[in-house]
Amino acid sequence: MSNVFVLDHPLIQHKLTYIRNKNTGTKEFRALVDEVSALMAFEITRDLPLEETTIETPVMEATTKVLSGKKIGLVPILRAGLGMVDGILRLIPAAKVGHVGLYRDPETLKPVEYYIKLPTDIEERELIVIDPMLATGGSANDAIHSLKKRGATNIKLMCLIAAPEGVEVIQNEHPDVDIYLGALDEKLNEKGYIIPGLGDAGDRLYGTK
Ligand code: PRP
Ligand code: URA
């Protein structure tokens, strides 16, 4: 069963409140999503393995630590996932970035894939799938299946806000995928929106309706 981590660092919780607020405009919303994504990346990379290396400081030779093990790949789900990429890249600038384009059909709420482009070596990377919202779980579930079909074996999922319904779908379909959240909300409404949530993440990021 996948682990679910709610990253309840005070800075993340504080910024999420402003992200949720309907009076927060596009410019501020975008900046806050970027900041929270960076803070979440800091927490999600806490268990990255290190190895020792020997360097010369200006004073003496020293044995210190550098990252080892698998390289990281980010996979934003278009379009709202794009809003989280730059914040994470500030902390992990060498990460490669793949893209999965999915939208939810407003009638069926089922995801429709329209684009996929991934680094060639995804099977050797630790992939972090990113999307602000995990609602019914359909989009993240499809994206993860797409990655696995192409050879990915090491995947984490990172979302700003999730509904219990979406978490359950990922846990059932992908017990190997750990889930990192800024908040776990109450439930979905009849239109498949997370409540209390933040509304439509893509529209709020890009000023569309
Ligand atoms: C939103 C969101 C997720 C999806 C979550 O995208 O960014 O990808 O809905 O819902 P689900 O868990 O029920 O699948 P949307 O389909 O609105 O597309 P957009 O990012 O292009 O706006
Ligand atoms: N997608 C969003 O952007 N918001 C929700 O609340 C649910 C799905």
Side-chain angles (χ1 to χ4, degrees):
M1 170 85 77
S2 29
N3 294 305
V4 181
F5 301 99
V6 179
L7 306 177
D8 56 1
H9 189 288
L11 288 174
I12 296 176
Q13 298 309 308
H14 174 81
K15 288 172 194 291
L16 268 180
T17 295
Y18 288 88
I19 287 175
R20 290 177 186 277
N21 191 327
K22 69 175 184 181
N23 296 321
T24 299
T26 302
K27 180 167 171 258
E28 200 187 345
F29 185 90
R30 210 178 275 153
L32 286 161
V33 168
D34 178 81
E35 287 168 25
V36 169
S37 303
L39 291 167
M40 289 182 73
F42 189 74
E43 295 272 314
I44 203 175
T45 50
R46 197 174 272 285
D47 60 352
L48 286 182
L50 293 166
E51 64 187 11
E52 292 196 333
T53 186
T54 304
I55 54 152
E56 293 270 348
T57 76
V59 182
M60 63 174 287
E61 189 177 281
T63 300
T64 53
K65 295 197 165 124
V66 287
L67 292 172
S68 68
K70 291 198 176 205
K71 297 203 174 89
I72 291 181
L74 306 181
V75 185
I77 300 179
L78 308 182
R79 95 200 127 130
L82 284 178
M84 301 174 70
V85 173
D86 287 351
I88 303 172
L89 284 180
R90 277 205 301 285
L91 293 196
I92 320 170
K96 289 196 174 172
V97 182
H99 295 87
V100 180
L102 292 170
Y103 69 88
R104 286 203 315 180
D105 183 300
E107 300 298 321
T108 63
L109 299 184
K110 298 269 179 255
V112 182
E113 186 175 301
Y114 59 87
Y115 185 77
I116 184 151
K117 183 79 179 172
L118 301 169
T120 49
D121 57 354
I122 55 163
E123 66 286 346
E124 291 161 23
R125 288 187 179 262
E126 177 170 321
L127 298 181
I128 307 177
V129 174
I130 52 182
D131 193 324
M133 310 306 278
L134 180 66
T136 64
S139 303
N141 180 29
D142 270 29
I144 294 167
H145 273 304
S146 272
L147 296 177
K148 287 184 173 173
K149 205 168 65 188
R150 289 167 175 83
T153 55
N154 189 341
I155 303 175
K156 290 177 173 171
L157 174 63
M158 172 172 154
C159 304
L160 299 188
I161 300 180
E165 294 88 331
V167 169
E168 196 184 329
V169 166
I170 301 301
Q171 286 188 313
N172 289 336
E173 294 274 327
H174 304 287
D176 55 316
V177 174
D178 285 343
I179 305 170
Y180 296 79
L181 306 173
L184 180 58
D185 276 9
E186 198 187 320
K187 60 179 181 180
L188 297 177
N189 71 9
E190 67 289 349
K191 291 187 177 145
Y193 277 88
I194 299 174
I195 53 173
L198 55 72
D200 187 302
D203 285 346
R204 293 200 63 196
L205 268 171
Y206 299 113
T208 51
K209 193 75 200 101

